Amino acid sequence: MRIVIAEDSVLLLDGLTRLLTAEGHDVTGYKTADELVAALGPDAAVPDVLVTDVRMPPSHTDEGLRAAIHLRSLHPQLPVLVLSQYVEQRYARDLFAGDVRGLGYVLKDRVTDVDELLDAISRIAAGGTVIDPEVVAQIMARATRTGLEDLTPREREVMALVAEGRSNSAIAERLFIGLPAVEKHVTSILTKLGLPPDSDDHRRVLAVLRWLEHRPNGES
């Protein structure tokens, strides 16, 4: 098989290359996501499997996974195995949102032996799907989160009063705290709920809607 590896760790890239070459595969490695995307552009020959890490230069956040999603949009039949120490929940969900044939996401520290890795690569190249149980657990946990569970008791009090339509000054008077404290709590609430920057009024409405839909029983 022709296998492309995107991995910024020189030692791991070299180790994987030696391992797969010894198994008779043709291996090409890239150390950055930009190099990978440039090499597998719209007119490039599609490899049999792409093995990529999640966190790659320059920011070491999620470039590898975003590159994989981009390349799957260019080459829908490109088999991809994400091999990483991390679960990047948002982009992992995006990766598996469409056709999951030829896709895999495996955590490095859960690959216990060489045969297991080789089997995962072979299955994905053949159109199978390989997903680490821990990846599934984290994706599902994220899918069921609303952000409300992250609010402190005081923030929940503030949120309940916001849901009643009270202004910041009215909330400050009701809770016997200063207006700056209320503003700080509201900002924290909106951030924890992951509401996009917009007008304050619009964000408050979205926050109230989520509160009314997902608040625990017994909270007003």
Side-chain angles (χ1 to χ4, degrees):
M1 288 192 293
R2 177 172 171 248
I3 301 175
V4 169
I5 302 175
E7 171 61 61
D8 65 306
S9 168
V10 176
L11 291 177
L12 184 54
L13 177 57
D14 182 67
L16 287 173
T17 300
R18 289 174 181 271
L19 169 66
L20 295 172
T21 300
E23 293 292 322
H25 302 300
D26 179 13
V27 181
T28 303
Y30 299 98
K31 298 177 183 178
T32 72
D34 289 342
E35 292 177 354
L36 172 66
V37 171
L40 297 182
D43 300 323
V46 179
D48 295 301
V49 179
L50 164 63
V51 179
T52 183
D53 196 356
V54 169
R55 300 187 179 184
M56 299 187 69
S59 71
H60 293 279
T61 54
D62 50 27
E63 283 94 337
L65 189 47
R66 286 192 286 113
I69 293 171
H70 170 68
L71 292 173
R72 282 277 290 198
S73 71
L74 294 179
H75 311 290
Q77 304 307 315
L78 171 64
V80 175
L81 171 61
V82 178
L83 182 63
S84 180
Q85 291 178 311
Y86 311 96
V87 179
E88 212 305 323
Q89 297 169 337
R90 174 186 171 189
Y91 290 107
R93 291 177 64 190
D94 290 344
L95 181 65
F96 289 97
D99 187 351
V100 299
R101 289 174 295 181
L103 283 180
Y105 199 133
V106 177
L107 298 181
K108 291 177 180 177
D109 60 359
R110 290 168 66 88
V111 177
T112 58
D113 57 48
V114 171
D115 289 339
E116 185 177 351
L117 175 61
L118 294 174
D119 178 64
I121 291 175
S122 297
R123 289 164 59 191
I124 290 166
T129 304
V130 180
I131 309 179
D132 191 300
E134 180 61 24
V135 175
V136 175
Q138 292 197 35
I139 292 176
M140 293 304 296
R142 175 62 180 269
T144 58
R145 288 175 60 83
T146 65
L148 295 175
E149 60 273 11
D150 296 328
L151 302 185
T152 65
R154 176 60 87 181
E155 288 169 348
R156 301 186 77 85
E157 288 182 305
V158 171
M159 187 63 245
L161 293 173
V162 169
E164 292 178 7
R166 298 178 185 271
S167 65
N168 285 359
S169 58
I171 294 172
E173 182 177 349
R174 176 70 175 272
L175 297 179
F176 303 103
I177 57 178
L179 182 58
V182 174
E183 293 172 345
K184 182 178 179 180
H185 286 312
V186 170
T187 297
S188 177
I189 290 168
L190 297 177
T191 299
K192 289 180 179 180
L193 296 187
L195 296 175
D198 204 330
S199 67
D200 286 342
D201 288 344
H202 181 60
R203 296 175 80 196
R204 287 171 79 103
V205 170
L206 293 176
V208 168
L209 290 175
R210 189 175 304 179
W211 174 261
L212 294 177
E213 181 179 1
H214 298 287
R215 65 187 175 189
N217 293 333
E219 295 201 56
S220 57

